[in-house]
C-alpha cells in the first residue's frame, strides 16, 4: 500500500503545536514522527507549513438535487478542497427536500458519484414525518426550520416541535428565527426595497425568541441540540447554560459583517438569520473565544448573482463561503485575534465531536488522513472569477487575506494543490470523498474531556 510521508510540518491540534512528520497509508494516519528510517513512496516537504486536520463544515447548502443552476456537488466540493474543507454536512432544503430515508439515501448515492471531499446529509423535519426521522441512521441528525428560509421547510407549531423532540433520538439542530415575529415585521415593512430593512424584519427579537424556544424544548426533553448560526449577542446567555445538551455555532458573515456593510455590499450579505450590529459581531467573537460557542461553520448558501441582484425582497438570502472560511480565520490568527489552535478546535475538532464523526477531526494514528497544509504567510486576494463555487462570486471579493490552504488531502489522497498564489490550482480528477460514518452512541461534545474533543 502506498505510503506518504509529510515531512517537517508544524502539526496543530486544539491544544498543541509541534513540528513532526506524519505518515499516511491506506487512507489513515498511521504514525506521527515515525522516525528517520521509515520507508515511503511519496515525500511531501511541509517545512514552513502548518498541518491541520481537514476542516469539517457542519452547515452547507449544496443545492443538489433540484437547484443545480446555483450550485452542485462537483463545484461545491472543489470549493471545499480549495478551502481546506475535507468533510461537509449538508442541509435538507434541496428540491425535493430531504425528508424521507429514501430521499436521504438517494442523496448519498448521488454524492458518491461526484464529491471530492467527504459527505453527510441531515434529514429535514416536517410536521408529519416523525416516523422517517426515527428510522434514519446514515445522517448526522435532524434539521428543523423553526423559522422559514430558502425553500418551504417549516415546523413552527409548538405541538409539532414537542413531538419531534419527544419521539426522536438523533441530535437535533435548528434554524432559529421566530416565524410569527418575522411575518409581523415583514407586514410592517412591506413595500420597502432597501435591503437594510431585512435586518429589521429578521430582527434581534426573532432570533432570541426562537433560540429560547428551541433550547427550552431540548432541556425539557433532555435532547441533544445544536443551535445553528447564532447571530446576536443576546442569544449567548441562552446557550451558555448548556446543561451538557446544547452546543452552538457561529458563521463568518455574522462575525465579520454588520448592518454598516449594507451600503457597500447590499443584498450580497442578505442572509437568514440576518446580519446584525457591530456589538453583535463583538459579542459573538467573545463567545467563541470563551467557549460559549463551540463551532464555526459557513452556512454556504449560494445563489446566482442575477438572483441576488433583484430588488429586495425578491433577492434571495444566502452567500457562498466554504472556499474562503479557513483563510478568513487564518487571517485573524495573523491579526492576533486568535490562535491557530483555536481555529483547529472551532473548525475541526468541535464539529467532529458535536456530530460524533467516526475517526475525524484529529491528526492521530488511526484517524482518517483528512488534512490541510496551510501557509500562514501566503497573501492572496479573493477574486470572484477565481471562485470554484458554481455561482462564482464571494462577498469578500477584492479582500486580501494572509494565511491560505495550499494542499488538501482526503482519505490519504491529494485533492487540491496550489503552493504559490500564482500557480494554477490543481484538483484531483476523481470523486474521492467518502460517506461520513456517525457513531450515534458516541459521547458527543459534552461527553468528552477537554483533551479528547
Ligand atoms: O440565508 C440563508 N440561506 N439562510 C438559510 O438558513 C438558508 C440559506 C439557503 O438555503 O439559501
Amino acid at each position: 500500500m502506498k505510503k506518504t510521508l509529510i515531512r517537517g510540518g508544524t502539526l496543530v491540534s486544539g491544544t498543541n503545536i509541534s513540528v513532526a512528520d506524519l505518515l499516511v497509508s491506506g487512507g489513515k494516519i498511521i504514525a506521527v514522527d515515525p522516525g528517520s528510517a521509515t520507508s515511503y513512496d511519496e515525500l511531501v516537504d511541509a517545512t514552513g507549513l502548518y498541518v491541520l486536520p481537514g476542516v469539517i463544515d457542519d452547515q452547507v447548502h449544496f443545492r443538489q438535487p433540484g437547484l443545480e443552476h446555483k450550485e452542485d456537488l462537483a463545484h461545491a466540493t472543489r470549493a471545499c478542497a480549495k478551502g481546506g474543507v475535507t468533510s461537509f454536512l449538508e442541509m435538507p432544503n434541496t428540491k425535493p427536500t430531504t425528508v424521507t430515508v429514501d430521499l436521504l439515501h438517494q442523496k448519498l448515492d448521488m454524492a458518491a458519484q461526484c464529491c471530492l471531499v467527504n459527505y453527510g446529509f441531515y434529514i429535514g423535519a416536517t410536521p408529519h414525518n416523525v416516523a422517517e426521522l426515527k428510522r434514519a441512521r446514515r445522517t448526522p441528525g435532524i434539521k428543523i426550520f423553526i423559522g422559514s428560509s430558502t425553500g418551504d421547510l417549516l415546523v413552527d407549531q409548538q405541538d409539532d416541535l414537542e413531538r419531534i423532540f419527544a419521539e426522536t433520538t438523533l441530535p437535533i439542530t435548528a434554524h432559529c428565527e421566530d416565524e410569527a415575529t418575522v411575518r409581523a415585521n415583514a407586514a410592517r415593512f412591506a413595500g420597502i426595497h432597501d435591503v437594510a430593512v431585512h435586518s429589521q424584519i429578521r430582527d434581534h427579537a426573532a432570533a432570541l425568541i426562537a433560540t429560547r424556544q428551541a433550547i427550552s424544548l431540548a432541556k425539557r426533553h433532555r435532547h441533544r441540540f445544536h443551535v445553528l448560526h447564532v447571530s446576536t449577542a443576546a442569544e449567548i446567555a441562552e446557550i451558555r447554560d448548556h446543561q451538557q445538551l446544547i452546543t452552538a455555532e457561529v458563521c463568518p458573515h455574522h462575525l465579520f459583517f454588520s448592518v454598516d456593510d449594507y451600503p457597500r455590499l447590499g443584498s450580497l450579505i442578505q442572509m437568514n438569520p440576518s446580519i446584525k450590529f457591530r456589538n453583535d459581531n463583538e459579542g459573538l467573537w467573545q463567545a467563541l473565544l470563551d467557549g460559549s460557542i463551540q463551532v464555526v461553520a459557513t452556512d454556504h448558501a449560494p445563489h446566482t448573482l442575477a438572483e441576488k441582484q433583484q430588488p429586495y425582497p425578491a433577492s434571495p438570502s444566502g452567500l457562498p463561503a466554504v472556499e474562503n472560511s479557513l483563510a478568513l480565520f487564518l487571517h485573524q490568527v495573523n491579526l492576533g485575534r486568535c490562535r491557530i489552535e483555536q481555529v483547529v478546535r472551532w473548525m475541526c475538532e468541535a464539529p467532529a465531536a458535536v456530530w460524533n464523526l467516526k475517526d475525524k477531526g484529529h491528526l492521530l494514528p488511526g484517524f482518517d488522513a483528512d488534512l490541510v497544509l496551510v501557509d500562514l504567510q501566503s497573501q492572496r486576494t479573493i477574486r470572484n472569477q477565481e471562485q470554484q463555487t458554481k455561482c462564482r462570486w464571494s462577498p469578500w471579493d477584492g479582500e486580501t487575506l494572509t494565511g491560505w490552504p495550499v494542499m488538501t488531502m482526503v482519505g490519504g489522497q491529494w485533492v487540491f494543490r496550489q503552493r504559490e498564489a500564482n500557480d494554477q490550482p490543481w484538483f484531483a480528477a476523481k470523486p474521492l470523498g467518502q460517506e461520513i460514518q456517525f457513531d450515534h452512541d458516541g459521547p458527543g461534545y459534552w461527553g468528552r474531556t477537554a483533551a479528547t474533543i
Side-chain angles (χ1 to χ4, degrees), residues 50 285 326-344 346 376 402:
Y50 288 81
W285 187 257
L326 178 57
L328 284 164
F329 281 87
L330 295 175
H331 188 68
Q332 297 301 314
V333 171
N334 276 308
L335 292 177
R337 286 190 90 191
C338 59
R339 289 177 292 112
I340 195 164
E341 301 98 299
Q342 290 172 304
V343 174
V344 165
W346 302 330
L376 213 50
T402 307

Side-chain angles (χ1 to χ4, degrees), residues 100-378:
T100 68
V101 171
D102 270 359
L103 288 164
L104 172 68
H105 291 179
Q106 281 174 33
K107 234 184 191 182
L108 287 164
D109 289 346
M110 197 163 26
Q113 309 300 314
C114 49
C115 284
L116 206 50
V117 306
N118 305 310
Y119 48 88
F121 300 98
Y122 294 91
I123 185 159
T126 75
H128 313 292
N129 73 340
V130 169
E132 297 289 331
L133 303 180
K134 285 163 83 167
R135 271 200 319 130
R137 301 309 294 166
R138 292 164 66 191
T139 180
I142 297 164
K143 164 72 183 281
I144 310 179
F145 281 87
I146 293 180
S148 59
S149 187
T150 302
D152 54 12
L153 284 175
L154 177 65
V155 184
D156 65 342
Q157 296 303 305
Q158 189 67 25
D159 51 346
D160 294 329
L161 291 166
E162 297 282 355
R163 193 152 23 90
I164 295 165
F165 274 85
E167 293 183 23
T168 66
T169 55
L170 289 176
I172 295 178
T173 189
H175 180 114
C176 295
E177 284 183 296
D178 182 58
E179 188 68 11
T181 306
V182 171
R183 283 193 189 167
N185 288 340
R188 267 199 310 138
F189 293 108
I192 299 182
H193 296 294
D194 177 358
V195 67
V197 82
H198 192 66
S199 294
Q200 289 170 273
I201 293 174
R202 291 180 177 263
D203 64 1
H204 287 68
L208 184 58
I209 291 168
T211 294
R212 248 189 208 142
Q213 178 187 23
I215 287 178
S216 155
L217 280 157
K219 287 181 180 168
R220 279 191 289 104
H221 293 282
R222 302 297 301 162
H223 203 122
R224 263 287 296 120
F225 181 67
H226 182 67
V227 188
L228 296 170
H229 43 41
V230 180
S231 65
T232 70
E235 287 162 279
I236 294 159
E238 306 297 319
I239 58 183
R240 203 169 266 149
D241 179 23
H242 57 74
Q243 298 187 7
Q244 306 227 329
L245 287 171
I246 314 296
T247 49
E249 148 201 314
V250 67
C251 302
H253 49 273
H254 290 130
L255 289 169
F256 303 133
F257 293 132
S258 74
V259 293
D260 300 347
D261 293 302
Y262 278 127
R264 184 171 62 91
L265 292 166
S267 58
L268 296 185
I269 55 164
Q270 179 191 328
M271 281 299 294
N272 303 335
S274 66
I275 300 299
K276 303 292 192 309
F277 301 158
R278 285 235 184 118
N279 65 309
D280 295 298
N281 301 151
E282 276 315 306
L284 293 167
W285 187 257
Q286 283 311 315
L288 197 52
L289 290 173
D290 74 19
S292 304
I293 293 176
Q294 297 78 25
V295 172
V296 167
T298 62
D299 195 8
H300 177 91
H303 300 280
T304 66
L305 255 187
E307 289 167 335
K308 288 293 272 183
Q309 283 162 351
Q310 295 167 92
Y312 186 83
S315 47
S317 297
L319 56 81
V322 284
E323 203 155 341
N324 301 304
S325 55
L326 178 57
L328 284 164
F329 281 87
L330 295 175
H331 188 68
Q332 297 301 314
V333 171
N334 276 308
L335 292 177
R337 286 190 90 191
C338 59
R339 289 177 292 112
I340 195 164
E341 301 98 299
Q342 290 172 304
V343 174
V344 165
R345 203 170 169 90
W346 302 330
M347 302 185 83
C348 315
E349 297 184 358
V354 164
W355 299 106
N356 281 314
L357 267 53
K358 208 161 162 281
D359 297 341
K360 300 218 181 284
H362 295 271
L363 298 178
L364 294 172
F367 278 73
D368 292 341
D370 299 335
L371 53 88
V372 53
L373 273 51
V374 308
D375 180 346
L376 213 50
Q377 259 116 54
S378 170

Side-chain angles (χ1 to χ4, degrees), residues 374-408:
V374 308
D375 180 346
L376 213 50
Q377 259 116 54
S378 170
Q379 208 172 67
R380 303 182 186 185
T381 302
I382 297 172
R383 302 259 180 237
N384 281 350
Q385 64 272 21
E386 289 169 10
Q387 301 303 292
Q388 300 295 320
T389 176
K390 196 169 180 184
C391 69
R392 285 222 146 184
W393 61 273
S394 164
W396 289 283
D397 176 51
E399 283 204 28
T400 301
L401 304 177
T402 307
W404 283 91
V406 294
M407 288 177 82
T408 305

Side-chain angles (χ1 to χ4, degrees), residues 73-75 77-78 81 111-117 388 408 410 413-417 425-433:
L73 291 168
H75 283 87
T77 58
R78 276 234 297 268
Q113 309 300 314
C114 49
C115 284
L116 206 50
V117 306
Q388 300 295 320
T408 305
V410 171
Q413 311 211 51
W414 296 107
V415 293
F416 163 74
R417 187 181 314 115
W426 169 89
F427 295 95
K430 281 195 291 186
L432 296 169

